[in-house]
Amino acid sequence: FTNLPKISRDFLEKIGVSSYDVLNYIKRIINAKSGSIEILLKELIKSKNNGSLQSSDFERIKTIQFLPGIIIGSNTTTKYCPIELTFPSIVKKIGAEDYLPCLDYPTEINIMSPEYEILKQIGVSETPQLNKLLELCRYENLRKNVFKFILENHSHYSTELSKTKIQYLPCVRHINNKFQTNISQSSIQLCSPDKCYSCPNPFLPFLCDWAIDMINNIFNCEAEQKE
């Protein structure tokens, strides 16, 4: 768009017209630089800073299969679209190294670096896709970590959480006139939000003790920080 007035460039960008053939742009960089992700990111940063790539171009890059990703636990690498990947530190925080693909980067990425920022801009996520996270609640060893991560990032996930029918909430039941408390993970029943209740009752599943405690701790901390 270099030969167009700014107002014309802005209009074309808004309707999705690209200034580059971004697929061939990325292929050229990869082929010229022997596939080095570090050099590829530097080229993207340079193109962003000099205005060669517009926001619509970065949107297209999100769905191009070119970034190296890895399932850490199985040590298998392949090419992914940026929006399919999460930063390694997030996957490790959740404990999902055997399940979620993350960016395969040769060193730990400084979150304050331009490389980290450009990776976020092209779609690598600090918050994995919600449906993938909720499915991890099936695994007893991941359940608490996943639940905590979702609560800590509730502002990002809140709209999707209000609509999901996936069974992920850890619930217990009233059995033999006694409420189940302090039970093992294997005794927990996962429920979708519309089938779960916040208060103990004789007939229906309600949130288990540790889930309620976790919710109270996280939201009370947030309330204290705002005061």
Side-chain angles (χ1 to χ4, degrees), residues 122-133:
I122 64 175
V124 178
S125 180
E126 295 175 310
T127 48
Q129 294 176 14
L130 181 63
N131 63 328
K132 291 184 178 180
L133 274 182

Side-chain angles (χ1 to χ4, degrees), residues 37-46 48-49 58 67 87 103 105-124:
I37 183 174
E38 299 101 315
I39 296 177
L40 172 60
L41 293 181
K42 290 184 184 302
E43 290 292 331
L44 288 173
I45 292 167
K46 183 172 72 174
K48 174 189 175 182
N49 291 339
F58 283 105
L67 275 185
F87 287 101
L103 180 71
Y105 201 78
T107 59
E108 190 70 28
I109 311 171
N110 183 347
I111 63 172
M112 302 301 293
S113 67
E115 287 79 11
Y116 192 89
E117 283 302 312
I118 200 72
L119 284 165
K120 286 202 300 182
Q121 185 166 359
I122 64 175
V124 178

Side-chain angles (χ1 to χ4, degrees), residues 29-164:
I29 296 174
I30 292 173
N31 291 337
K33 306 299 181 180
S34 302
S36 168
I37 183 174
E38 299 101 315
I39 296 177
L40 172 60
L41 293 181
K42 290 184 184 302
E43 290 292 331
L44 288 173
I45 292 167
K46 183 172 72 174
S47 295
K48 174 189 175 182
N49 291 339
N50 66 24
S52 298
L53 291 178
Q54 308 296 319
S55 58
S56 56
D57 298 319
F58 283 105
E59 286 300 312
R60 287 183 172 87
I61 291 173
K62 291 179 179 181
T63 55
I64 297 175
Q65 197 174 55
F66 74 98
L67 275 185
I70 184 171
I71 303 288
I72 297 173
S74 61
N75 201 33
T76 56
T77 60
T78 188
K79 300 294 184 186
Y80 288 87
C81 300
I83 59 171
E84 296 175 318
L85 294 173
T86 303
F87 287 101
S89 58
I90 302 298
V91 172
K92 292 174 183 177
K93 179 180 181 180
I94 299 170
E97 293 95 326
D98 291 331
Y99 306 97
L100 293 179
C102 65
L103 180 71
D104 186 15
Y105 201 78
T107 59
E108 190 70 28
I109 311 171
N110 183 347
I111 63 172
M112 302 301 293
S113 67
E115 287 79 11
Y116 192 89
E117 283 302 312
I118 200 72
L119 284 165
K120 286 202 300 182
Q121 185 166 359
I122 64 175
V124 178
S125 180
E126 295 175 310
T127 48
Q129 294 176 14
L130 181 63
N131 63 328
K132 291 184 178 180
L133 274 182
L134 298 184
E135 291 296 337
L136 293 179
C137 288
R138 295 178 299 166
Y139 303 103
E140 295 174 16
N141 61 317
L142 295 180
R143 195 169 290 156
K144 289 186 178 182
N145 285 351
V146 172
F147 195 68
K148 182 180 181 182
F149 184 85
I150 291 171
L151 293 177
E152 290 173 338
N153 295 276
H154 63 89
S155 59
H156 176 81
Y157 292 121
S158 58
T159 301
E160 290 180 90
L161 283 171
S162 67
K163 299 175 181 179
T164 186

